[in-house]
Amino acid sequence: MPAAEVRGVVLEAGKIFDPVKEAETVGVRGMIPEEGGKALARHRLDDNCERQLSNAVNVAYSMSYTFHAMSSFFRRDDVALTGLGKFYIKRSTAEREDALDLSRYLLRRGGRVKLMGLCQPKMNYDEPSKGDALYAMELTVAMEKLQYEKYLALSKAAEEAKDMELQDYVCTKYLHPQVKLIKKHSEYVSQLRRVGKGQGTYLFDRVLKSKMK
Ligand SMILES: [Fe+2]
């Protein structure tokens, strides 16, 4: 049986992979950087994917910050929609956990996490036609849709870089749940539009709170 050549490595006949020989041929040094400051684990992580992952971390933190602000508003004693207050602090915690998970993933892949500044959340709850709860929930749907676009951009970057592992991670962990979140929040918008401000919103808030116990 003739010897086989795989990726420039001459292997014994009938063999398809010799890890030691191949690692030596591609250069162990090439695979594992020796210079300080470079991640040893980094393997096939595209620069654009690294950037987009870092952006996703910052987007999740910004969402968390905004939901925190919303929760603080609904928990005010002159607003006292405590169901929404609880709902938004849970959303805030969930987004912060997503930010941490994305950071951990990026570090696992040998990337670097670059945290940016957060914008002060500025909301206008006084819009007379909607009322505070509907205004907040409509804003939430819009923000979740924007976040979906960011995750989609990350998934597209992974596709372009042929990084199937990253694509699978984004799709399973972020795109699928994001679709469910958009649907759930859209239903809340419909319910708030149906019940109106005042007593209707108060009842919506009570039901929301009872569901979270
Ligand atoms: Fe989200």
Side-chain angles (χ1 to χ4, degrees):
M1 219 181 194
E5 191 175 321
V6 182
R7 290 178 289 277
V9 184
V10 179
L11 299 172
E12 225 179 288
K15 304 280 166 56
I16 57 158
F17 181 53
D18 181 334
V20 176
K21 216 168 188 178
E22 289 199 35
E24 277 169 359
T25 310
V26 293
V28 174
R29 260 186 217 161
M31 289 278 202
I32 308 188
E34 288 181 345
E35 311 97 273
K38 290 217 169 163
L40 303 180
R42 189 170 181 130
H43 188 55
R44 293 185 180 270
L45 177 64
D46 177 71
D47 287 347
N48 187 33
C49 292
E50 182 181 23
R51 222 174 3 256
Q52 298 271 5
L53 269 163
S54 240
N55 287 349
V57 172
N58 284 283
V59 169
Y61 270 129
S62 301
M63 295 279 284
S64 171
Y65 204 43
T66 308
F67 290 147
H68 184 164
M70 286 177 167
S71 173
S72 300
F73 171 79
F74 287 111
R75 281 182 161 168
R76 268 168 42 173
D77 60 4
D78 59 339
V79 179
L81 290 171
T82 51
L84 281 160
K86 194 172 178 183
F87 173 78
Y88 278 114
I89 207 66
K90 283 182 89 162
R91 290 292 304 112
S92 175
T93 306
E95 290 293 344
R96 198 174 66 243
E97 279 167 4
D98 284 351
L100 286 172
D101 193 78
L102 285 156
S103 304
R104 282 195 286 263
Y105 176 84
L106 186 48
L107 290 169
R108 259 200 315 276
R109 292 291 306 268
R112 295 286 182 250
V113 179
K114 197 173 168 191
L115 294 179
M116 313 295 277
L118 295 172
C119 293
Q120 183 191 9
K122 284 184 181 158
M123 268 77 78
N124 175 24
Y125 298 102
D126 299 328
E127 214 181 296
S129 61
K130 295 181 197 283
D132 45 16
L134 177 57
Y135 166 79
M137 204 52 81
E138 283 186 351
L139 190 61
T140 305
V141 172
M143 288 196 311
E144 295 290 7
K145 284 184 178 178
L146 280 173
Q147 195 181 28
Y148 181 85
E149 296 297 315
K150 307 283 180 191
Y151 286 137
L152 205 57
L154 173 58
S155 171
K156 277 182 186 160
E159 189 185 1
E160 277 164 23
K162 296 186 171 52
D163 190 335
M164 285 176 285
E165 203 270 341
L166 172 58
Q167 225 185 333
D168 178 61
Y169 166 75
V170 178
C171 213
T172 312
K173 197 111 207 266
Y174 296 101
L175 283 172
H176 291 324
Q178 197 67 16
V179 169
K180 288 183 189 165
L181 275 179
I182 292 168
K183 168 74 162 51
K184 188 172 89 173
H185 292 143
S186 299
E187 285 171 357
Y188 290 157
V189 166
S190 297
Q191 288 165 9
L192 283 164
R193 282 181 181 169
R194 191 182 290 273
V195 298
K197 296 184 285 181
Q199 198 179 1
T201 293
Y202 175 77
L203 288 172
F204 172 90
D205 185 74
R206 293 297 89 191
V207 172
L208 190 63
K209 191 168 188 177
S210 68
K211 279 185 189 165
M212 284 182 292
K213 276 175 186 165

